[in-house]
Amino acid sequence: MTRSDVLPAVDDAVRTGDTACHTLTVTVRDGGHALTRISALLNNLSVRRLSFRAADGGDLAVCEIVVPVADSPRALAKLRRCVEVVELSAHPAGETRAI
């Protein structure tokens, strides 16, 4: 990959060592394959952390995904197109939020 192949926002984040991240909170209908679909959607993005909690009844699950700020818009766009997604929100990583 040459310098001209790198998007400016991504290049700046890598060069400056910027570790600013967003946490994406996704509520999905869990039919047993939600985690597989989410990981496939985000496979080419830099996911820093991912947690997945399924409900006992198997109806809904909550997935928290931490991505660099530069990847956040692409991750949100990909997740919005996912059929299983019921709710999607983003906030700066490290910010305390009740789920």
Side-chain angles (χ1 to χ4, degrees):
M1 178 181 283
T2 65
R3 183 155 173 68
S4 62
D5 294 332
V6 179
L7 297 173
V10 175
D11 185 43
D12 289 343
V14 171
R15 259 187 310 123
T16 61
D18 184 12
T19 58
C21 293
H22 279 164
T23 300
L24 312 178
T25 305
V26 185
T27 304
V28 295
R29 276 185 244 98
D30 186 19
H33 301 288
L35 181 57
T36 304
R37 287 187 189 269
I38 290 169
S39 62
L41 285 171
L42 303 178
N43 71 348
N44 62 342
L45 300 177
S46 179
V47 175
R48 301 280 173 95
R49 186 173 52 231
L50 187 142
S51 66
F52 189 84
R53 291 177 303 225
D56 288 335
D59 294 337
L60 294 178
V62 175
C63 185
E64 289 184 349
I65 307 153
V66 177
V67 296
V69 171
D71 286 343
S72 184
R74 285 187 290 175
L76 285 168
K78 287 177 176 229
L79 290 166
R80 281 191 186 106
R81 290 192 301 261
C82 186
V83 176
E84 289 89 359
V85 170
V86 175
E87 186 179 342
L88 177 61
S89 64
H91 59 276
E95 183 179 295
T96 306
R97 301 188 56 106
I99 298 176

